[in-house]
């Protein structure tokens, strides 16, 4: 009884919250990760890596950054699969 | 009982996983369930825009591979001299960090929008617009610098003439996207600040009722601009 009461007090209208609701720390973490990954890809140029090492590192950091932006910032990770496939399959085919 | 499913599609059970994909697409109703139509349409637009930028990047790679003249040393062309020392790609790196930061503030604006926190949402959208405007400003600086050094769409003093045309076309198209985004961000910030989204005021152009989903849809566009820059940064500036 007391538990239910305190719960109701701390969370007056949980059903009212609609749309994408994720803790702010998720976005801050991804923001930080994107900074680190961008810094790494900058270092690839700074240290003058050449040839296949350069290209594979550039692609690796690029895909990681793109994946984080699409999945978390654009909320693709939480969308229904029907939409995810409709967008990502044609992109992958191009 | 049977009419319930006909009149109210939301009453139908929604499946998950691959089964959900099949049932969503074969449901003979809207395919994108639980997604506002504006959001689905924005995704479709972004998909088509992906093809535009993909065409640019593929044609750039094609001319870069096929040209008989050596490609300019991009790292050197875009270097800045700081305190008498040449730092490679410095401006581009700063622009990258600025655009990522704008994406971060936009993502948080969407979150606070759904929490109906008008003040924080408006301020974060304004911050996003400010980052975007800064990015465009730095791009203008970069263009000016290169044009003064003699880079033209038909030739340049550093190497293959296709460098200029690829550069102006790709970064120009991306910069245009950022500029349009900044304008729409400012409009959205004003709407949020006035409380249009809370009061569901019809928009002045489309007459659509205000809604905090609009902030997320705006955010999708903005993140896409950041996403395109990730690919341009990798393929044009670093490659």
């Amino acid at each position: 009884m007391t538990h239910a009461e305190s719960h109701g007090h701390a969370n007056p209208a949980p059903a009212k919250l609609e749309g994408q609701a994720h803790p702010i720390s998720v976005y801050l973490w991804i923001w930080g990760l994107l900074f680190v990954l961008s810094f790494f890809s900058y270092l690839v140029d700074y240290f003058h890596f050449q040839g296949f090492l350069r290209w594979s590192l550039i692609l690796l950091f690029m895909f990681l950054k793109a994946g984080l932006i699409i999945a978390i910032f654009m909320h693709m990770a939480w969308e229904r699969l029907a939409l995810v496939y409709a967008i990502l399959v044609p992109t992958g085919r191009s | 009982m049977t009419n319930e499913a006909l009149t109210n599609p939301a009453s139908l059970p929604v499946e998950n996983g691959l089964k959900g994909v099949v049932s969503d697409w074969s449901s003979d109703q809207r395919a994108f369930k639980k997604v506002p139509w504006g959001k689905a349409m924005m995704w479709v637009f972004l998909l088509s825009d992906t093809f535009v930028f993909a065409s640019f990047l593929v044609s750039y790679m094609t001319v870069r591979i096929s040209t008989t003249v050596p490609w300019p040393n991009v790292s050197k062309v875009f270097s800045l001299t700081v305190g008498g020392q040449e730092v490679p790609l410095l401006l581009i790196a700063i622009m990258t960090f600025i655009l990522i930061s704008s994406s971060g503030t936009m993502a948080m604006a969407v979150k606070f929008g759904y929490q109906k926190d008008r003040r924080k949402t408006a301020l974060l959208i304004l911050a996003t617009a400010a980052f975007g405007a800064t990015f465009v400003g730095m791009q203008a600086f970069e263009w000016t610098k290169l044009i003064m050094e003699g880079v033209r769409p038909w030739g340049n003093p550093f190497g293959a003439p296709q460098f200029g045309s690829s550069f102006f076309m790709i970064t120009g198209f991306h910069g245009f996207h950022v500029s349009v985004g900044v304008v729409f961000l400012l409009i959205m910030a004003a709407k949020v600040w006035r409380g249009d989204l809370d009061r569901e005021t019809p928009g002045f152009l489309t007459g659509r009722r205000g809604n905090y989903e609009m902030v997320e849809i705006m955010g999708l566009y903005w993140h896409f601009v950041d996403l395109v820059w990730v690919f341009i940064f990798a393929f044009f500036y670093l490659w």
Side-chain angles (χ1 to χ4, degrees):
Chain A
M1 182 72 180
T2 47
H3 176 77
E5 251 178 42
S6 67
H7 181 77
H9 197 73
N11 218 348
K16 271 259 172 189
L17 251 179
E18 45 183 273
Q20 302 279 351
H22 312 289
I24 198 141
S25 56
V26 173
Y27 299 119
L28 291 173
W29 262 103
I30 300 305
W31 190 348
L33 267 176
L34 287 172
F35 255 74
V36 171
L37 287 170
S38 296
F39 185 66
F40 282 168
S41 36
Y42 178 66
L43 286 185
V44 171
D45 186 67
Y46 195 82
F47 288 132
H48 300 293
F49 289 142
Q50 295 302 334
F52 277 107
L53 178 64
R54 181 189 187 90
W55 296 327
S56 44
L57 281 177
I58 291 173
L59 287 179
L60 172 71
F61 295 137
M62 182 190 81
F63 281 123
L64 283 176
K65 280 165 72 180
L68 287 177
I69 293 173
I70 295 173
I72 312 294
F73 279 177
M74 300 173 96
H75 296 144
M76 202 54 132
W78 297 287
E79 297 291 0
R80 286 189 60 75
L81 271 181
L83 178 67
V84 175
Y85 285 165
I87 302 302
L88 291 189
V89 171
T91 312
R93 290 283 302 140
S94 73
Chain B
M1 198 80 138
T2 39
N3 284 349
E4 167 78 10
L6 287 174
T7 51
N8 184 15
S11 68
L12 290 172
V14 181
E15 289 183 272
N16 286 318
L18 274 177
K19 255 190 159 172
V21 177
V22 177
S23 65
D24 281 10
W25 277 102
S26 58
S27 62
D28 226 13
Q29 299 160 7
R30 43 184 294 185
F32 302 124
K33 298 187 187 305
K34 297 184 176 179
V35 175
W37 69 268
K39 192 161 142 185
M41 291 305 107
M42 176 54 88
W43 268 114
V44 171
F45 165 70
L46 296 182
L47 180 61
S48 66
D49 226 13
T50 306
F51 294 144
V52 173
F53 279 106
S55 313
F56 283 157
L57 286 172
V58 168
S59 46
Y60 144 72
M61 273 298 180
T62 313
V63 294
R64 181 165 175 165
I65 290 170
S66 58
T67 181
T68 50
V69 187
W71 199 256
N73 185 345
V74 185
S75 179
K76 248 211 166 94
V77 173
F78 294 106
S79 67
L80 280 188
T81 314
V82 179
Q85 231 190 353
E86 212 174 54
V87 188
L89 276 182
L90 182 61
L91 188 68
I92 311 303
I94 298 173
M95 284 164 77
T96 304
F97 287 124
I98 285 180
L99 211 56
I100 287 174
S101 299
S102 79
S103 251
T105 52
M106 186 73 231
M108 294 196 289
V110 173
K111 180 198 160 53
F112 285 117
Y114 279 131
Q115 287 178 358
K116 309 270 152 99
D117 193 330
R118 212 155 51 82
R119 205 182 126 79
K120 273 187 192 153
T121 309
L123 287 177
L124 281 166
I125 296 177
L126 275 181
T128 310
F131 277 129
T134 312
F135 179 88
V136 177
M138 296 179 83
Q139 196 165 43
F141 172 79
E142 186 196 16
W143 274 46
T144 313
K145 185 168 166 282
L146 258 71
I147 290 171
M148 291 210 294
E149 284 168 357
V151 179
R152 298 289 182 274
W154 52 86
N156 65 78
F158 309 117
Q162 291 90 340
F163 170 78
S165 50
S166 307
F167 171 76
F168 288 120
M169 193 73 200
I170 295 173
T171 63
F173 215 77
H174 178 262
F176 175 67
H177 274 75
V178 180
S179 309
V180 171
V182 169
V183 172
F184 276 94
L185 280 172
L186 291 176
I187 295 174
M188 191 57 74
K191 274 170 170 274
V192 172
W193 190 257
R194 284 197 306 241
D196 283 10
L197 305 190
D198 296 289
R199 282 182 273 111
E200 302 192 1
T201 315
F204 69 99
L205 194 62
T206 59
R208 282 171 55 206
R209 290 189 172 283
N211 190 322
Y212 275 100
E213 275 155 6
M214 288 177 171
V215 180
E216 193 191 357
I217 296 167
M218 176 75 237
L220 281 181
Y221 176 82
W222 191 260
H223 294 312
F224 175 77
V225 167
D226 184 25
L227 185 63
V228 170
W229 182 255
V230 168
F231 287 88
I232 295 176
F233 183 57
F235 286 129
F236 194 85
Y237 291 102
L238 289 178
W239 205 251

